[in-house]
Structure formats: structure tokens, C-alpha cells
Amino acid sequence: TQLLEQSPQFLSIQEGENLTVYCNSSSVFSSLQWYRQEPGEGPVLLVTVVTGGEVKKLKRLTFQFGDARKDSSLHITAAQTGDTGLYLCAGAHGSSNTGKLIFGQGTTLQVKP
Amino acid sequence: DTGVSQNPRHKITKRGQNVTFRCDPISEHNRLYWYRQTLGQGPEFLTYFQNEAQLEKSRLLSDRFSAERPKGSFSTLEIQRTEQGDSAMYLCASLAGGKSSYEQYFGPGTRLTVT
């Protein structure tokens, strides 16, 4: 069974602080997506990383895919209250080509003013 | 709005009743996925379609669950004889397929509560 372990599961910080969320697996993924989800809504795609070692930036968010394509991280600089939400990483397994995603359990981020 | 839509957004039903959910994917996307998400967890894969063909079903999908995509456009997910353990958010996602076949776009979900 493929598993994606996210850490931490819960994070509460003050506005302006930096944070990093980690997503780790023993399996290799052909791609990895990061989503943000608000209560009662579906996940919203933030980024897709495909190449080992790839780094993508989305304003204050920096995403990195590990060299071996088994892990990823999300770094937020100068967090804002609007960043509050559930952050999910999800990997697509390369060999099956079904596109189905394996999700981590999520990191709940609370940014306090 | 050209995103993925799901109906209804919320459904409350009594144990033993049947329920049906609908998903309308992004129009040019040929792959459609169903996931289930319980509180405090990430979504779990249930099944997926390529056009009208259902190509994979998870072991989570018991015999009480059935999904269809008759014309390769919208999809329905039916749960028969609902149980309290079926209470969850049911999410639908679509994917374009082809070279950029990584990015799934999710609908807002249907929250099912079985009493």
C-alpha cells in the first residue's frame, strides 16, 4: 500500500511567520500535486511537480519535489490569515497511468492575526 | 462557470435509504474520478472513468455502491441501503488526459449524512 505521510498534521502560527509542510513516501510518484481545501469545499489545485528536484514558486509559496520523487515540501513565507486551510499533498503513481491520486492526511494550518 | 459541479451539495438521509449524487466534469475532460473524504483525512480513491468506461474500482467500493457515466459526460454515484459509516464528503474530479494528464480539478463535493 502506498502511503503519503504529511507533517505536521496541525500548525498554528502568527501572521508573518514562515512555515514548511512535508510530504514523504517510500514510493516513487510520477507527479505530485498540492491542494488547499477550505471547510465544506473541494480541494483547489495549487501546483503540480513532475521532475525530481523541481522547485516551483507561487507568490509566497515554494514547492519542492525531492530528487528521488518520493517526497515534497511546501514552504510559505510571511503567512497571512488568508492562508488558513487544509493543505493536502497527492501523488500519482507512475506505472499504472490511471491518474488516480494517493492523498496524504493533510496539514491543517491556522494563521492568527 | 466551467469548473466541476456536483449536486446536491448536502444530503441527509436515514439509514437504509438509497441516495444518488451527480457530477458534471469540465466539458473537455475525458477522465472522471470519485473520491471519499472523512473528517480529518485526505480523500480516498473510489473509482474512475475514461469516457464512459469504468476502468478501476477501489476495494472501498462495496457492492452497495455503483457509479455510471453513460454518455461519457456527467457521472452518477449511487449508494444503496446507506449505513452510518457512509457519512462522508464525496468528491468528484476530472482530468484532461493526454500529455498534461496530471492535474485533477475537484468539484465542491457532496456532504452525505446518514442518520
Side-chain angles (χ1 to χ4, degrees):
Chain A
T1 303
Q2 300 166 268
L3 289 175
L4 270 173
E5 299 286 341
Q6 275 188 248
S7 61
Q9 290 191 31
F10 184 80
L11 196 54
S12 181
I13 61 172
Q14 294 295 135
E15 197 168 29
E17 293 183 1
N18 301 334
L19 67 118
T20 303
V21 177
Y22 299 94
C23 179
N24 296 296
S25 176
S26 57
S27 299
V28 175
F29 292 96
S30 60
S31 68
L32 195 137
Q33 284 91 54
W34 283 92
Y35 291 85
R36 179 168 167 269
Q37 187 178 24
E38 300 211 21
E41 299 295 329
V44 175
L45 181 66
L46 296 175
V47 79
T48 299
V49 285
V50 177
T51 306
E54 184 175 5
V55 176
K56 282 192 174 179
K57 291 191 176 183
L58 186 67
K59 296 182 180 178
R60 294 175 294 101
L61 278 60
T62 301
F63 304 86
Q64 186 163 6
F65 202 12
D67 290 341
R69 291 185 290 138
K70 293 181 179 181
D71 54 84
S72 182
S73 64
L74 158 61
H75 181 79
I76 301 179
T77 304
Q80 299 176 357
T81 56
D83 295 328
T84 293
L86 177 68
Y87 289 82
L88 293 159
C89 64
H93 191 238
S95 63
S96 67
N97 198 32
T98 65
K100 73 179 183 183
L101 296 175
I102 308 296
F103 279 85
Q105 72 271 48
T107 295
T108 299
L109 172 63
Q110 180 185 57
V111 182
K112 295 178 284 188
Chain B
D1 183 55
T2 57
V4 179
S5 62
Q6 291 186 247
N7 289 288
R9 292 292 310 276
H10 303 276
K11 180 70 177 178
I12 300 174
T13 191
K14 292 185 178 180
R15 188 176 54 184
Q17 298 294 306
N18 300 342
V19 294
T20 300
F21 310 141
R22 175 176 169 130
C23 170
D24 287 89
I26 295 171
S27 59
E28 63 269 25
H29 286 187
N30 58 25
R31 288 193 182 180
L32 186 150
Y33 299 80
W34 285 100
Y35 294 84
R36 181 172 69 187
Q37 185 179 26
T38 53
L39 281 175
Q41 300 296 320
E44 295 175 292
F45 169 79
L46 292 178
T47 188
Y48 95 99
F49 293 83
Q50 178 144 337
N51 300 312
E52 66 275 8
Q54 187 174 18
L55 297 185
E56 186 172 340
K57 294 193 287 187
S58 162
R59 294 173 197 171
L60 294 174
L61 216 64
S62 75
D63 291 344
R64 297 183 297 104
F65 288 71
S66 62
E68 293 183 342
R69 195 183 182 198
K71 297 181 180 179
S73 55
F74 72 91
S75 176
T76 58
L77 177 67
E78 181 183 17
I79 309 174
Q80 296 183 327
R81 305 181 302 282
T82 53
E83 301 173 355
Q84 287 187 321
D86 298 330
S87 295
M89 174 78 94
Y90 289 84
L91 294 162
C92 174
S94 70
L95 182 153
K99 287 186 178 180
S100 298
S101 59
Y102 304 116
E103 299 182 342
Q104 291 186 27
Y105 295 90
F106 282 81
T110 295
R111 167 73 65 189
L112 173 66
T113 302
V114 182
T115 61

